[in-house]
Amino acid sequence: DVKVTQSSRYLVKRTGEKVFLECVQDMDHENMFWYRQDPGLGLRLIYFSYDVKMKEKGDIPEGYSVSREKKERFSLILESASTNQTSMYLCASSLRGSGRGEQYFGPGTRLTVT
Amino acid sequence: AQSVTQLGSHVSVSEGALVLLRCNYSSSVPPYLFWYVQYPNQGLQLLLKYTTGATLVKGINGFEAEFKKSETSFHLTKPSAHMSDAAEYFCAVIKYSSASKIIFGSGTRLSIRP
């Protein structure tokens, strides 16, 4: 079974702090994704990586950056956390071109910025 | 551009009743369509997908969906609801300009009444 793990299930940070969310997958997937999930808005793509050191902006990249130094690990960085970044963050991975897009998700990190 | 509309943010049915969750898509080319399910405090998992071939697709836990090109719909059904079906359900379509990306609908929360 594909396993996608996220470093924290719940996180509370203060406004202005630098926040790191880590995601690790164990199935050698090329693609990795970061989404945020808000009630009534579904999932919105923040960033996408299709290979080590490669990244592509999603629909809402402002205020976020990412890092992919190793194939299995994809980090989301909030440079200076703000209260409007309070949300559920979901990481996902997929094989390039396989199954036309089927993604495997981690359990999510619920981030609260106070 | 591809997009997905889920009709009804919240659906409530009695245990044993028919489940019908509605999804309409827009796509300029034949779409690849997905239904994902999110149980409380978990990430998303794939319920079923339509790529090509048979338009009636069967998924896990007794769910199925039918691709209707003429109606641009991909509604999810289950003949008899079970309490364990309570979850949030997301319809999604592949983003054809980038085959690895998925566009998610806003989600439908399914509640089951005893």
Side-chain angles (χ1 to χ4, degrees), chain B residues 17-112:
Chain B
L18 171 72
V19 175
L20 171 61
L21 304 183
R22 299 176 187 273
C23 173
N24 288 89
Y25 68 90
S26 68
S27 176
S28 56
V29 295
Y32 285 31
L33 295 158
F34 306 81
W35 275 99
Y36 280 82
V37 60
Q38 184 180 32
Y39 297 105
N41 298 314
Q42 295 185 28
L44 278 70
Q45 63 181 119
L46 185 68
L47 203 53
L48 50 81
K49 64 181 179 183
Y50 168 78
T51 52
T52 57
T55 55
L56 183 62
V57 181
K58 295 187 185 299
I60 60 172
N61 301 335
F63 284 92
E64 60 184 35
E66 187 170 10
F67 169 61
K68 291 188 176 180
K69 186 177 178 181
S70 60
E71 298 177 8
T72 62
S73 68
F74 191 56
H75 301 331
L76 182 70
T77 60
K78 181 173 180 178
S80 177
H82 191 273
M83 296 300 291
S84 61
D85 295 327
E88 188 148 22
Y89 293 79
F90 293 92
C91 184
V93 64
I94 205 80
K95 188 170 183 178
Y96 231 81
S97 59
S98 173
S100 295
K101 294 186 190 176
I102 296 178
I103 299 170
F104 289 89
S106 56
T108 297
R109 182 167 298 280
L110 176 64
S111 300
I112 312 295

Side-chain angles (χ1 to χ4, degrees), chain A residues 6-106:
Chain A
Q6 296 183 226
S7 51
S8 306
R9 293 299 302 272
Y10 300 94
L11 210 52
V12 179
K13 295 292 181 181
R14 293 190 180 276
T15 301
E17 278 194 81
K18 191 169 187 175
V19 181
F20 293 87
L21 303 183
E22 304 284 339
C23 175
V24 177
Q25 50 93 6
D26 66 357
M27 285 302 292
D28 205 35
H29 284 176
E30 292 86 2
N31 301 324
M32 295 189 76
F33 307 82
W34 275 107
Y35 295 91
R36 65 176 282 175
Q37 181 181 13
D38 300 289
L41 298 177
L43 276 71
R44 293 179 290 169
L45 182 64
I46 304 172
Y47 266 99
F48 159 54
S49 170
Y50 51 91
D51 206 344
V52 175
K53 297 190 185 295
M54 306 303 288
K55 62 185 179 185
E56 190 174 311
K57 290 181 180 179
D59 300 317
I60 52 164
E62 296 78 17
Y64 304 94
S65 62
V66 291
S67 172
R68 191 156 180 213
E69 297 297 318
K70 294 185 177 181
K71 191 175 185 180
E72 68 271 17
R73 188 179 298 269
F74 191 35
S75 302
L76 180 69
I77 303 154
L78 287 66
E79 295 289 343
S80 178
S82 64
T83 55
N84 62 13
Q85 293 178 310
T86 291
S87 186
M88 171 70 88
Y89 290 87
L90 292 168
C91 175
S93 71
S94 70
L95 280 170
R96 184 180 301 151
S98 169
R100 297 296 284 172
E102 179 178 347
Q103 295 183 8
Y104 297 84
F105 284 81

